[in-house]
């Protein structure tokens, strides 16, 4: 292409050609100004046409990063006005709606740096945009819509504060969304509007010491408490659940879920519970540099929700069968909230370590019992996912707070569970799967066996990460017997894996599990206990065997381990020869 007229023909073609269009503009630096004027003329012509107005927005999207200040001041407000008009005229075209929202967001952000443009946008355009977005149908409220709302909340917080009711009407419905991405988008917007309303917030009498951020978390917690009570208050085993008088507590303004259809009712409560946890998790992670929380409110919710286990549901009524099927998602969402709590406040939570670690421990203990209680575990294999997330939560604690703070708890409570899980990956699991394959003459049965083992390895990966954290920062705090226990089990599994046992044929399907095993071995080798010899001989044998692995990452880790061992086995200088002294 030799001129901009030909380049502009690309606007009606594919996204790949748009990239070409952008690159060609960058090449024509000698006539940059004249080309920019020509492109702007084409933009304005396209915006006037009903059938091609979105094409004009596409050109704006690519020219904005390089547009001159002069032309931004001249055409910025015009393009924003046209974009708002296009936004209001798009019907049932999510692709065009998304692109319009993205371009409009880019425009209002770029124009913010120009005082004369910023004033006009604040006085008129923000309100116009919010009104149009609020008038969109539920089906049209896609991710692009919430991206635009988030941009306005972040860059025009003071203006959005005046339109908080309109914004909340768009944010809160996503608490009942079936789509995780929309629930997450709504949660991000909820966090941003909470931050925007901080200055004008007047706390209720009962929460006089709370800021808006903490109070909003309380509203989410209260709404979650209410759902737990709605789900389990009629189950005799849960008479211990506190009967909070929610008439005295403020809740989020959410619609009542219809009870006409029992399945839809429980599905609606489950969906709302999971999404409320997404909102709460987003807030706990923080928004910006400042973050605050009422730990007792969060822990009260977590202790209450995670205390409910399948073993409390004994009568096997139709309602309790429904509740049993819901429990895995409820627990996973609460554990995800616990991870966010840890991630958001890190070492500030050390005073609450006993409570948090007890929650993780009790989850690992009851999920372990599930494997021996066939009447329950056969109903839903997804309880294995709960165990996976319990390990994720433990690993988050060790990562963000430092493992030294929990070394005694880890040694006494968690280490036996971790070793048992790793040791549980035995050939008996494979044997059962293979027998099922022959007995039923069905590949499906064999596949289910692999699926079950896959969940075990997923949980073990997180458990191995926990071991690595402990060994890296607190190996000297571990007693020698605990170190020997870890060493013996890791060496045993790796030898079984790479000596081509029957188990290895299945485990080779999970490359990341092998990788974490090797990393744990390497950490043990380099952070050995002062009273116990490192597993140098075993490490050399295993790392060399792993060099012929089928996974690139595993091979790379094996090479890394071999190189470290080489320096230990053949040091560059003689070891220290200290004189022996006797007392």
């Amino acid at each position: 292409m030799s001129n901009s007229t030909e380049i502009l023909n690309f606007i009606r073609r594919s996204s790949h050609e748009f990239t070409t269009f952008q690159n060609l503009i960058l090449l024509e630096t000698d006539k940059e100004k004249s080309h920019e004027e020509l492109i702007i003329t084409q933009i304005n012509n396209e915006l006037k046409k009903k059938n091609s107005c979105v094409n004009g927005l596409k050109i704006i999207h690519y020219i904005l990063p390089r547009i001159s200040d002069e032309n931004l001041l001249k055409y910025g407000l015009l393009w924003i006005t046209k974009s708002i008009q296009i936004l209001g005229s798009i019907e049932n075209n999510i692709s065009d709606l998304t692109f319009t929202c993205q371009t409009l967001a880019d425009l209002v952000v770029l124009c913010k740096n120009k005082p004369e443009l910023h004033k006009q946008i604040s006085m008129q355009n923000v309100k116009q945009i919010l009104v149009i977005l609020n008038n969109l149908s539920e089906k049209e409220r896609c991710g692009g819509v919430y991206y635009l709302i988030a941009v306005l909340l972040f860059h025009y917080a003071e203006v959005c504060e005046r339109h908080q009711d309109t914004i909340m009407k768009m944010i809160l419905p996503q608490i009942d969304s079936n789509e995780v991405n929309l629930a997450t988008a709504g949660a991000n917007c909820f966090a941003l509007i909470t931050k925007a309303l901080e200055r004008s917030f007047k706390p209720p009498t009962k929460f006089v010491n709370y800021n808006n951020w903490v109070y909003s978390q309380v509203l989410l917690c209260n709404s979650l408490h209410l759902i737990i009570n709605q789900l389990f208050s009629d189950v005799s085993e849960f008479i211990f659940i506190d009967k909070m008088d929610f008439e005295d507590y403020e809740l989020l303004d959410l619609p009542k879920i219809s009870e006409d259809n029992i399945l839809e009712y429980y599905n609606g409560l489950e969906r709302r519970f999971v999404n409320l946890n997404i909102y709460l998790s987003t807030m706990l992670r923080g928004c910006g540099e400042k973050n605050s929380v009422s730990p007792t409110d969060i822990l009260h919710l977590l202790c209450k929700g995670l205390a409910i286990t399948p073993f409390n549901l004994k009568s096997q009524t139709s309602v309790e069968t429904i509740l049993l099927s819901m429990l895995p998602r409820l627990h996973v969402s609460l554990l995800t909230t616990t991870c966010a709590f840890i991630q958001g406040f890190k070492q500030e939570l050390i005073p609450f370590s006993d409570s948090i670690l007890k929650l993780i421990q009790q989850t690992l203990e009851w999920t372990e019992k599930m494997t021996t209680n066939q009447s329950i575990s056969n109903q839903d294999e997804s309880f294995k996912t709960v165990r996976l997330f319990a390990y994720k939560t433990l690993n988050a604690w060790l990562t963000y707070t430092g493992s030294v703070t929990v070394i005694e708890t880890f040694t006494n409570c968690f280490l036996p569970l971790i070793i048992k899980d790793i040791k549980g990956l035995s050939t008996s699991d494979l044997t059962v799967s293979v027998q099922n394959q022959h007995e039923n003459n069905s590949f499906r049965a064999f596949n289910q066996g692999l699926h079950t083992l896959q969940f075990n390895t997923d949980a073990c990966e997180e458990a191995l990460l926990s071991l690595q954290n402990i060994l890296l920062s607190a190996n000297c705090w571990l007693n020698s017997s605990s170190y020997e226990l870890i060493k013996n089990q890791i060496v045993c599994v790796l030898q079984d894996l790479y000596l081509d046992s029957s188990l290895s044929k299945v485990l080779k399907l999970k490359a990341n599990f092998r990788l974490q095993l090797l990393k744990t071995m390497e950490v043990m080798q380099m952070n050995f206990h002062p009273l116990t010899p490192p597993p140098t001989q075993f490490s050399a044998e295993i790392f060399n065997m792993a060099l012929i692995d089928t996974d690139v990452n595993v091979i790379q880790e094996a090479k890394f381990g071999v190189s470290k061992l080489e320096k230990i086995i053949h040091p560059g200088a003689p070891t220290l020869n200290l004189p022996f002294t006797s007392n």
Side-chain angles (χ1 to χ4, degrees), residues 429-430 432-434 436 443-456 506:
D429 292 325
L430 177 61
V432 171
S433 299
V434 175
N436 286 338
F443 178 76
R444 181 183 177 186
F446 180 66
N447 209 28
Q448 287 175 344
L450 296 184
H451 181 67
T452 300
L453 192 57
Q454 190 75 18
F455 270 112
N456 287 337
V506 177

Side-chain angles (χ1 to χ4, degrees), residues 20-55:
T20 306
F21 161 67
Q22 183 186 28
N23 292 336
L24 287 170
I25 291 177
L26 295 175
L27 291 174
E28 298 190 358
T29 55
D30 56 331
K31 299 179 180 179
E32 184 175 345
K33 186 172 181 180
S34 61
H35 287 309
E36 185 172 283
E37 294 294 341
L38 179 58
I39 293 169
I40 289 173
T41 300
Q42 184 67 23
I43 289 173
N44 294 334
N45 288 337
E46 296 289 343
L47 291 176
K48 293 176 184 178
K49 303 173 186 177
K50 184 177 180 180
N51 296 330
S52 63
C53 54
V54 176
N55 289 332

Side-chain angles (χ1 to χ4, degrees), residues 30-31 55 68 88 109 150 218 312 326 429 454 523 544:
D30 56 331
K31 299 179 180 179
N55 289 332
S68 64
V109 171
V218 171
N312 303 124
M326 293 170 56
D429 292 325
Q454 190 75 18
V523 170
N544 277 286

